[in-house]
Amino acid sequence: VEMTSCWILYDRRDLAFNGFFAGRLLEACTDLGMCTRIVTTDDIPDHAPDALINRSRDAGIAERLESEGTRSFNSSLVTKVCNDKMATYRFADSISAPHMPASVPGEDAPPGPPWIIKSRSGHGGSEVFMAEDEDEMRRLCGTLRDPLVQSMAAPGRDMRVYVLGGRVLASVMRTSGSDFRANYKLGGKAELCRIPPAAEKCVSKVCEALEPDLVGVDFVFDEGVPVLNEIEDAVGTRMLYSLTSLDAAALLAEHVHSNMSL
């Protein structure tokens, strides 16, 4: 039987920060008998692998390889929708998943102030700002390449639900007493929590419509009700490793292996 060839795709700069996860993924895929290598977006070989574990947020490369028969984890569709926050909200509307109102410059501003101004393509809490008035909103929009304006949810608290192959792995509440953003790597506090029924229903709808492999479905709270904020495509796993005994890389490798064996 021919071995499944598998690439783990990273942007070179991201690989430097995520060496532990990339290495663990390489080890786990190799242990399962897949012929696996780490590939960077600036050095793509001229043949297509059987499987692509896309940690690069680059939908174009995944799309090209899919057209040559590669199975991509996540698919290029997931990568496209999840790495453009406005596309995420339009997708949310299509599945009737509630989210905080959002618009792009040139459209009517959503209810505010205050507003959240963020880059459509940012991740990890970078390029996210708060505007207290219209002048500040316009100024902040001018500093970003692809801004969107959003009504503000309850500050300093959000929840991430880790989902693998349609199954919830864990749900984590992130809180910050000092910042309106609650991101773990920005110093927020994280603890495991139960997933509220409204969030669970939303996660099910996302999985049914997008069929993601491994994602983080992020929620903010609007008067106590969880509403969809983002879907993280190349989702970070630090919280899973620090709060649970789950080995996210091994679980992802097993998911890829079992799907390639079908």
Side-chain angles (χ1 to χ4, degrees):
V1 181
E2 211 172 296
M3 281 172 91
T4 297
S5 61
C6 176
W7 294 354
I8 300 166
L9 182 68
Y10 271 94
D11 172 270
R12 195 176 288 275
R13 281 167 313 201
D14 284 347
L15 184 57
F17 288 109
N18 296 292
F20 165 76
F21 188 75
R24 184 72 198 95
L25 200 47
L26 177 64
E27 189 184 3
C29 288
T30 305
D31 286 350
L32 288 165
M34 292 189 283
C35 180
T36 310
R37 61 187 284 195
I38 294 171
V39 171
T40 54
T41 52
D42 59 354
D43 191 17
I44 302 281
D46 58 6
H47 59 278
D50 301 316
L52 174 74
I53 301 175
N54 188 5
R55 303 288 294 172
S56 73
R57 303 187 183 86
D58 189 319
I61 294 173
E63 215 166 14
R64 196 181 80 232
L65 292 170
E66 284 167 356
S67 74
E68 294 178 44
T70 298
R71 163 79 155 89
S72 184
F73 302 82
N74 290 312
S75 70
S76 60
L77 171 67
V78 171
T79 299
K80 255 188 211 156
V81 169
C82 300
N83 289 291
D84 175 344
K85 293 179 177 64
M86 210 62 212
T88 301
Y89 299 137
R90 290 184 186 122
F91 164 72
D93 292 337
S94 77
I95 61 168
S96 305
H99 60 87
M100 300 305 290
S103 68
V104 292
E107 298 176 347
D108 290 340
W115 292 285
I116 294 294
I117 314 298
K118 57 189 177 185
S119 158
R120 289 170 63 159
S121 58
H123 50 87
S126 66
E127 301 187 327
V128 179
F129 307 97
M130 186 166 68
E132 299 281 7
D133 57 45
E134 286 192 21
D135 286 346
E136 197 176 11
M137 173 176 82
R138 278 192 288 272
R139 182 184 67 75
L140 286 166
C141 282
T143 65
L144 295 173
R145 196 186 60 224
D146 51 358
L148 70 82
V149 180
Q150 191 169 34
S151 298
M152 179 121 179
R157 176 171 177 245
D158 70 13
M159 179 177 70
R160 168 165 293 169
V161 181
Y162 285 95
V163 188
L164 176 67
R167 182 171 65 95
V168 171
L169 293 179
S171 182
V172 179
M173 190 71 75
R174 304 183 292 190
T175 51
S176 172
S178 58
D179 196 322
F180 68 91
R181 300 166 299 180
N183 301 63
Y184 188 54
K185 70 177 185 190
L186 297 178
K189 183 162 134 312
E191 50 198 350
L192 292 174
C193 67
R194 289 182 66 136
I195 177 170
E200 197 162 17
K201 187 177 166 192
C202 179
V203 167
S204 296
K205 284 181 171 180
V206 166
C207 290
E208 206 174 302
L210 265 190
E211 298 187 343
D213 295 294
L214 176 63
V215 289
V217 186
D218 290 356
F219 293 88
V220 288
F221 293 85
D222 183 21
E223 296 181 348
V225 178
V227 295
L228 183 68
N229 189 42
E230 290 178 28
I231 307 167
E232 288 281 347
D233 161 35
V235 62
T237 56
R238 285 177 179 84
M239 291 190 298
L240 275 182
Y241 280 102
S242 64
L243 296 173
T244 75
S245 57
L246 298 173
D247 183 345
L251 292 171
L252 177 56
E254 282 158 20
H255 171 78
V256 170
H257 182 253
S258 63
N259 274 273
M260 295 308 292
S261 308
L262 293 174

